[in-house]
Amino acid sequence: MDQARRLRAKTETAPTTIAFASGKGGVGKTNVCVNTAIGLVELGKRVLIVDLDIGMANVHILLNASRSRTMMDSVKARIPLAASVQKGVHGVDILHGGSGLDELVQFSHADMQFFMRELEVLTEYDYVLFDMGAGATDTSLQFIEGCDEMFLILTPEPTSLMDGYAYTKLVHRQSPDLPLGVIVNRAQSGEEALQCFERMEVACEQFLKKSIRFLGYLPDDATVRRAVIAQVPFYHLDRKSDISWRLERILTTLTGTPPKPRHFMDRLMGNLKRQWNRV
């Protein structure tokens, strides 16, 4: 994917490319990716999600969108990638990887030349978010290596930390200079989230000599379940929810755009909802 970086370097405007990854499934990675995209669109950014979670691709489910032609379909049929992009789903564009993505390693020279030329479609966007599959494959590592940064999604469970560190170790071995940010999902409190991050930080510094940054956390919020059932991003379903407010803090870290001030009644209702859900 070094060729992809060189290709982007030749263009006047290059998108920020971020790989959303996790060491294990079930941590809410796709949900975090989708709602980050929605939040960026709300800030006026042009955003493309590339769904590479092969076998568990569900970006279209969370956004209540039909499946379209895939990236693999485009390459094999020599159809421009732009024709396979699903436009304007909640303001976000989507490109489905396809069930045969691992065939990338078996691409012919002509296939790869076509694929690399077609990557120019990505320069139309401000942000391109890659929703990676859980776990690491040779192909997924190639995509991550071509990105500007990787966002590792963790939950406070020990298994998530262990698998997240193992994943980070594989990525670091291949791309030691790739910046790594951590988002802690489904945390019960900011303190729990920070403790989770610090355990990962210590392991990375001690064993990999790698610095990582804390992007923020998303609370365990009943809004998410309601949003998944409704097939609506939680950021659209309830902008005043605690998790939406926390997402805005992450977007501030990402873009530098300050979040809107949270009024007293919004804070009060958020606190009451959390207490009610624990009863």
Side-chain angles (χ1 to χ4, degrees):
M1 296 302 289
D2 286 342
Q3 189 175 353
R5 279 182 172 170
R6 290 196 296 271
L7 181 66
R8 293 202 307 270
K10 293 179 182 178
T11 64
E12 294 183 1
T13 58
T16 298
T17 52
I18 304 171
F20 283 71
S22 64
K24 65 188 291 289
V27 299
K29 167 183 57 62
T30 298
N31 221 331
V32 175
C33 177
V34 164
N35 282 277
T36 299
I38 296 297
L40 288 170
V41 167
E42 292 288 330
L43 292 174
K45 308 299 183 182
R46 297 165 300 172
V47 184
L48 172 70
I49 298 177
V50 183
D51 191 349
L52 298 181
D53 195 350
I54 306 307
M56 293 292 288
N58 53 15
V59 166
H60 65 292
I61 296 175
L62 291 178
L63 292 173
N64 195 22
S66 59
R67 287 294 295 270
S68 61
R69 186 187 293 117
T70 69
M71 189 167 65
M72 292 301 302
D73 294 335
S74 291
V75 174
K76 291 303 182 182
R78 295 297 189 267
I79 299 170
L81 274 183
S84 297
V85 173
Q86 201 168 357
K87 298 283 189 177
V89 183
H90 289 273
V92 176
D93 290 357
I94 307 172
L95 178 60
H96 301 286
S99 59
L101 186 62
D102 281 338
E103 293 177 19
L104 273 174
V105 297
Q106 300 172 343
F107 268 7
S108 67
H109 180 66
D111 287 340
M112 187 56 73
Q113 280 192 323
F114 176 83
F115 177 69
M116 297 309 298
R117 285 197 305 270
E118 286 302 306
L119 282 181
E120 291 183 5
V121 69
L122 305 185
T123 62
E124 299 176 7
Y125 298 94
D126 299 307
Y127 288 87
V128 178
L129 310 183
F130 293 88
D131 182 27
M132 310 303 303
T137 66
D138 290 340
T139 304
S140 65
L141 290 174
Q142 288 181 47
F143 272 91
I144 292 173
E145 183 183 5
C147 289
D148 297 314
E149 187 168 8
M150 183 177 87
F151 286 2
L152 183 68
I153 312 304
L154 299 175
T155 59
E157 289 82 4
T159 52
S160 175
L161 279 165
M162 290 174 58
D163 292 339
Y165 172 75
Y167 192 100
T168 300
K169 185 177 179 180
L170 288 173
V171 172
H172 179 72
R173 186 180 301 164
Q174 181 127 342
S175 307
D177 297 326
L178 182 71
L180 172 63
V182 172
I183 297 174
V184 179
N185 193 29
R186 298 177 186 159
Q188 296 297 326
S189 65
E191 182 180 5
E192 182 182 58
L194 192 57
Q195 289 174 352
C196 175
F197 168 76
E198 287 175 346
R199 287 195 290 269
M200 177 62 69
E201 183 182 37
V202 167
C204 287
E205 289 183 347
Q206 182 174 351
F207 299 111
L208 304 179
K209 310 301 180 187
K210 183 177 183 64
S211 297
I212 62 177
R213 66 169 177 152
F214 183 52
L215 295 166
Y217 80 96
L218 297 172
D220 191 6
D221 194 320
T223 304
V224 175
R225 183 174 182 275
R226 292 192 291 113
V228 170
I229 293 173
Q231 292 182 280
V232 176
F234 66 71
Y235 194 62
H236 277 175
L237 184 69
D238 188 353
R239 289 288 290 274
K240 294 183 178 181
S241 65
D242 197 31
I243 192 169
S244 292
W245 184 70
R246 286 292 169 186
L247 176 66
E248 290 178 353
R249 307 286 293 194
I250 292 173
L251 293 171
T252 294
T253 302
L254 178 57
T255 67
T257 303
K260 295 178 181 178
R262 202 181 192 202
H263 298 297
F264 167 76
M265 287 305 299
D266 294 336
R267 294 196 302 269
L268 177 61
M269 291 305 297
N271 291 335
L272 290 175
K273 284 180 181 178
R274 285 199 304 275
Q275 292 298 327
W276 178 262
N277 291 329
R278 289 173 184 170
V279 175

